[in-house]
Amino acid sequence: MTIQEAIARYLKKQNQAGLSPKAVLFDMDGVLYDSMPFHARAWKEVADEYGLTSDRKDFYMMEGRTGASTIDKLFQHSFGRNATEEEKKEIYAKKSERFHRYNDGNPMPGASEVLRKVKRYGLLPVLVTGSGQRKLIGKLQQDYPDCFAEDKMVTGDNVRYGKPDPEPYRKGLQKADAQPYEALVIENAPLGVESAVSAGIFTIAVNTGPLDDQVLLQKGADLLYPDMESLAADWDKLMEATGNRAAPFPGKKS
């Protein structure tokens, strides 16, 4: 499907006359950082320690949920009950400790180029993540300087329901002072795609993990790319298709 066809299908579905993005809502893990393998490893090890039935791919499928919601899902599947507050606190602390021990903190290849182009076209970057990992969130300013303002972030600590509920992306729209047709979402997780689509936003999926492309498409992704580098290469075409020609001369610093 071409970019133009994807936009036309989105507009018909949303009963909108046009797609006029002024903000781009970014997921974090698997989009800005190549951190999902370490999340999956940490979750799997702690799940095994507590006798929770799981497969490593399960954590890619559940990516985007808050930590408490992920733990409840594991407990429901394994024991037929939700975890207690004490269990959630203990398990999430152990998972977080292992994640920070394993994580190399590497930015996702191509993400800086996407952000550079986002800013060049005058679009506002907004972070929408289910993560509550303050250390990783704190790296954003270091790895992506002057991109994400503190008041333009939605984290797992700011939401009641979390992905796949549309709440996180609706909050992202509020942070951007934008309507759904005035934003784009970049997501890698099935539940994140579902959340963004439910919020009525044009959703670009980047399949940076081990899941089949169809998993993301079935959740309603409007466009699909294999990685952030491919999205960066196509960004000018995407902007042209939306009618955004505000990019300054490529040699001008933004």
Side-chain angles (χ1 to χ4, degrees):
M1 180 181 298
T2 68
I3 292 172
Q4 290 81 359
E5 288 170 341
I7 291 175
R9 187 179 66 172
Y10 166 82
L11 294 175
K12 182 177 180 180
K13 179 181 176 182
Q14 299 297 328
N15 194 28
Q16 291 290 343
L19 178 62
S20 307
K22 64 181 187 180
V24 182
L25 281 50
F26 286 83
D27 180 37
M28 184 169 69
D29 294 300
V31 171
L32 297 175
Y33 288 99
D34 193 11
S35 48
M36 268 310 298
F38 307 112
H39 278 294
R41 178 183 175 184
W43 273 122
K44 176 60 177 166
E45 290 181 359
V46 175
D48 289 349
E49 182 180 332
Y50 283 82
L52 299 165
T53 305
S54 70
D55 181 87
R56 190 166 293 197
K57 270 194 175 182
D58 293 339
F59 301 107
Y60 286 90
M61 291 298 297
M62 290 192 288
E63 181 190 352
R65 288 187 180 276
T66 62
S69 177
T70 298
I71 294 166
D72 274 340
K73 280 287 184 182
L74 292 170
F75 267 73
Q76 283 289 348
H77 180 64
S78 303
F79 306 132
R81 66 173 178 87
N82 285 342
T84 65
E85 292 304 314
E86 291 76 13
E87 287 168 330
K88 291 176 188 177
K89 184 176 180 180
E90 181 177 298
I91 291 170
Y92 193 67
K94 288 188 176 182
K95 181 267 171 179
S96 297
E97 186 278 326
R98 292 193 187 208
F99 169 74
H100 289 301
R101 194 189 330 152
Y102 302 149
N103 182 38
D104 56 21
N106 286 336
M108 183 64 72
S112 289
E113 179 65 8
V114 171
L115 273 162
R116 186 183 70 81
K117 291 192 172 187
V118 164
K119 294 191 71 178
R120 186 156 65 91
Y121 278 92
L123 307 178
L124 174 68
V126 176
L127 183 75
V128 181
T129 176
S131 177
Q133 307 282 352
R134 298 308 305 177
K135 288 183 181 179
L136 190 55
I137 293 170
K139 278 176 54 61
L140 284 168
Q141 203 59 255
Q142 172 187 328
D143 297 324
Y144 302 104
D146 303 319
C147 286
F148 295 97
E150 193 69 38
D151 64 343
K152 303 301 179 188
M153 297 184 186
V154 179
T155 72
D157 297 330
N158 307 140
V159 297
R160 180 177 180 184
Y161 299 108
K163 303 170 186 178
D165 192 272
E167 179 195 19
Y169 280 108
R170 285 176 178 164
K171 283 184 176 288
L173 290 173
Q174 291 172 2
K175 296 275 188 182
D177 190 25
Q179 297 299 313
Y181 63 87
E182 295 178 316
L184 305 173
V185 164
I186 303 177
E187 260 286 355
N188 73 301
L191 297 186
V193 170
E194 185 177 346
S195 172
V197 170
S198 296
I201 310 170
F202 188 89
T203 304
I204 302 166
V206 284
N207 195 0
T208 58
L211 302 178
D212 190 274
D213 286 350
Q214 286 302 312
V215 176
L216 296 167
L217 292 172
Q218 287 169 2
K219 292 295 185 180
D222 295 291
L223 285 173
L224 177 71
Y225 288 90
D227 47 49
M228 291 291 281
E229 293 163 311
S230 301
L231 175 57
D234 247 15
W235 196 263
D236 292 333
K237 294 179 183 177
L238 177 61
M239 291 295 97
E240 183 178 356
T242 67
N244 186 332
R245 295 180 175 83
F249 184 76
K252 181 180 176 180
K253 292 183 179 180
S254 55

